[in-house]
Amino acid sequence: MRSFRLPLLLIIIGVAVIGFIVYQLAPRSTVTVPDTGGTYVEGVAGAPQYINPLLCQLHDEDRDLCSLVFVGLTRFTETGEVVPDLADTWSISDDGITYTFKLRQDIKWDDGAPVTVDDILFTTRLLQDPGYPGRPDIGALWQTIKVSRVDTQTVQFRLSQPLAPFLDFTTIGLLPSHILSGTAAADMNKLPFNLQPVGNGPWRVVEVNTNGNRVSSIALEPSPNYYGAKPNLSRIIFRYYPNVQAAFDAYRTGDVDGFSNLSLADSKRAEARDDLTLYTATKSRYTSVFFNLRKDSGAIALMDKSVRQALLLALDRDKIVREVLGGQAIVADTPFIPGTWAYHTGAQHYPYDPERATQLLRNAGYELATVAPSNVSVWQKSGEPIAFTLLTQDDPTRRAVAEAIVKQWRDLGVQVSVQPVRNLVRDFLSSRQFQVALVDNLVDGDPDPYPVWHRSQIIAPGQNYTGFDNKDASNWLEAARTTTDRVKRFEYYRKFQELFTEELPALPLYYPTYEYAISSRVKRVQVPPMMYPSDRLRTIGSWYINVKRVPASEATALSKP
């Protein structure tokens, strides 16, 4: 029996070897997945000055860089909500006055130094300094807040009164006290740090090139000390050009991979290229027609809400978006941005309906009568026509929109003309010297519309330019900004939007969109709703250029963002 064991063993070994060889040689299913590495180059119109989170709010080119290099205690989500970033947690006292933030344990600056409460105290002291050279409204807010250290990881902010939008101000990036300690606020805009920053965000500045006094390009690489997920890309380069057309030309010569904020003409040219992908996002702003509701405005008819409703019903806003704006906008319904937590989908809508507009005017006692010497039919009441001047900022897009509006209102039977002006806000809105105006409205962070629609802001320097004086609306806006309860805030804003769309102190026209063109070789690009143009880069950590092949069984885990 013993003589058969060796041949049998050899046979078993042989079969195993052959099986192994067959397995190795047999074709296996593989797929491509994202790999690390690769450089993304973006062409930007303009040039940066301050890669400094306390100074970058005034220029988009600065904000682009600050959004990648610096982070604050909190950050905005795509829907405008504030969530933790450097802060691990926070709590708010029952009276809405005291905010207590506890820092994460694993946060560092680019140079390896820890981010501490000292950095928060240092940053807020600069913001509170009367010499702070940044946005005045930011400085004014911080001057009302007391900041104190609780312990090495905890800081406390005490407000003078409840203010729900306060959390917006905690999204401002921090500055490193161990590098800038002793810096006076008035000297911040002169610091070499502004182009050689040490940040605490996912990317760090590694190279700055200049042409004379102008920055020509800036290169970023992933920060080795950032606490969050590491990006796929190994490098981002921003190259700066005098305008978007020049950035587009740079794409055609292979110098950049993408460019943003396309004009209508640029968008049409980009659409014609197979190697470009266009991404569109809603901007955090809306364009509307403001009415001056004061009796001394000279447009008495506009005091009647039926007239205002008729004017909106007579506007074919879809046509204006399609033919004047080339589709680069979405028809608006309220002063809140769609997709954000405060937007009310159930607010009253006004579809294009000139017949209903006509009926509203008749019901309000108006009649069409011919006006000499033009022999044009105009709506009149007691001999007074519906007549006014529409002011607009003097630029090609605004003028084109204004002319389209005027044509549609003239077709209805309203006597109206367009007047382009150089500085609409300073020379006309601020002084309340207007009848009707085409206005762009920025929704900056928190959706709180108190400054524009509360009755306390009717008197200059308040921004309630229309003179909208409604007690219920003002009470809801006041209550909404003094509670941190999101459910209650939405309920107040829901009521406000329903009343606003009934009274129409302004006519919502459209939410402009932002177009971003990127080479098709850059993958997994997603452009979320945009509060600021820099938000186009919010998901850049998951973008990739390089790929690798792996067995299909490993693909699911490796391809996750």
Side-chain angles (χ1 to χ4, degrees), residues 10 49 83 92 112 150 169 216 304 355 384 412 414 469 477 557:
L10 292 174
Q49 300 178 64
V83 296
I92 307 172
V150 177
F169 294 86
S216 56
D304 188 339
E355 291 185 6
E384 289 292 330
L412 176 67
V414 173
D469 189 359
L477 294 180

Side-chain angles (χ1 to χ4, degrees), residues 156-382:
Q156 197 168 80
F157 302 100
R158 185 169 179 81
L159 283 59
S160 58
Q161 60 184 5
L163 181 66
F166 168 68
L167 283 175
D168 279 22
F169 294 86
T170 63
T171 63
I172 295 174
L174 301 182
L175 287 173
S177 60
H178 69 287
I179 293 176
L180 297 176
S181 179
T183 299
D187 296 330
M188 268 203 301
N189 54 6
K190 306 169 188 173
L191 296 174
F193 179 93
N194 293 331
L195 289 179
Q196 302 165 18
V198 173
N200 56 2
W203 297 83
R204 62 175 179 167
V205 174
V206 295
E207 184 180 317
V208 178
N209 295 305
T210 58
N211 184 1
N213 294 325
R214 189 178 188 275
V215 174
S216 56
S217 69
I218 289 180
L220 309 179
E221 291 181 356
S223 173
N225 293 313
Y226 180 60
Y227 75 86
K230 301 302 179 186
N232 292 314
L233 296 171
S234 62
R235 197 173 178 91
I236 303 171
I237 298 175
F238 292 97
R239 289 187 176 146
Y240 297 99
Y241 299 90
N243 49 54
V244 176
Q245 177 61 58
F248 195 168
D249 291 341
Y251 176 82
R252 290 188 291 206
T253 59
D255 292 327
V256 303
D257 298 305
F259 48 97
S260 60
N261 203 18
L262 279 66
S263 67
L264 178 57
D266 293 327
S267 177
K268 290 185 179 301
R269 284 193 290 269
E271 285 178 354
R273 296 186 66 102
D274 295 332
D275 57 350
L276 268 177
T277 302
L278 284 180
Y279 300 87
T280 301
T282 304
K283 292 182 181 179
S284 187
R285 61 180 63 224
Y286 63 97
T287 299
S288 58
V289 171
F290 273 24
F291 296 115
N292 189 339
L293 303 180
R294 297 166 182 80
K295 292 181 180 179
D296 61 356
S297 70
I300 301 301
L302 300 179
M303 303 291 292
D304 188 339
K305 78 174 181 182
S306 295
V307 173
R308 302 194 296 270
Q309 291 173 341
L311 289 172
L312 185 52
L313 287 166
L315 286 181
D316 189 344
R317 291 173 290 168
D318 284 309
K319 183 178 180 180
I320 292 173
V321 167
R322 185 176 63 252
E323 296 184 0
V324 180
L325 300 173
Q328 293 184 323
I330 299 170
V331 171
D333 298 305
T334 86
F336 291 76
I337 308 301
T340 61
W341 64 267
Y343 177 74
H344 177 38
T345 58
Q348 187 172 175
H349 298 269
Y350 288 82
Y352 175 55
D353 193 342
E355 291 185 6
R356 186 181 163 205
T358 297
Q359 191 59 52
L360 275 176
L361 293 175
R362 291 195 188 282
N363 292 346
Y366 286 87
E367 296 180 349
L368 276 173
T370 301
V371 177
S374 61
N375 292 324
V376 174
S377 294
V378 177
W379 288 101
Q380 299 185 34
K381 185 177 183 179
S382 302

Side-chain angles (χ1 to χ4, degrees), residues 60 63-64 260-261 283 285 514 530-537:
D60 289 340
R63 194 188 284 270
D64 288 348
S260 60
N261 203 18
K283 292 182 181 179
R285 61 180 63 224
Y514 187 96
M530 295 173 56
M531 194 167 300
Y532 308 107
S534 60
D535 289 337
R536 71 188 185 279
L537 306 169

Side-chain angles (χ1 to χ4, degrees), residues 286 288-294 296-297 423-442 449-469 505-506:
Y286 63 97
S288 58
V289 171
F290 273 24
F291 296 115
N292 189 339
L293 303 180
R294 297 166 182 80
D296 61 356
S297 70
N423 196 313
L424 178 63
V425 175
R426 184 192 66 196
D427 297 338
F428 297 92
L429 298 184
S430 294
S431 61
R432 280 56 173 171
Q433 300 300 308
F434 73 100
Q435 294 178 320
V436 183
L438 182 64
V439 180
D440 280 342
N441 308 269
L442 174 65
Y450 179 100
V452 181
W453 302 113
H454 193 274
R455 64 198 314 186
S456 67
Q457 305 302 301
I458 290 175
I459 305 299
Q463 298 176 54
N464 186 346
Y465 303 130
T466 66
F468 180 52
D469 189 359

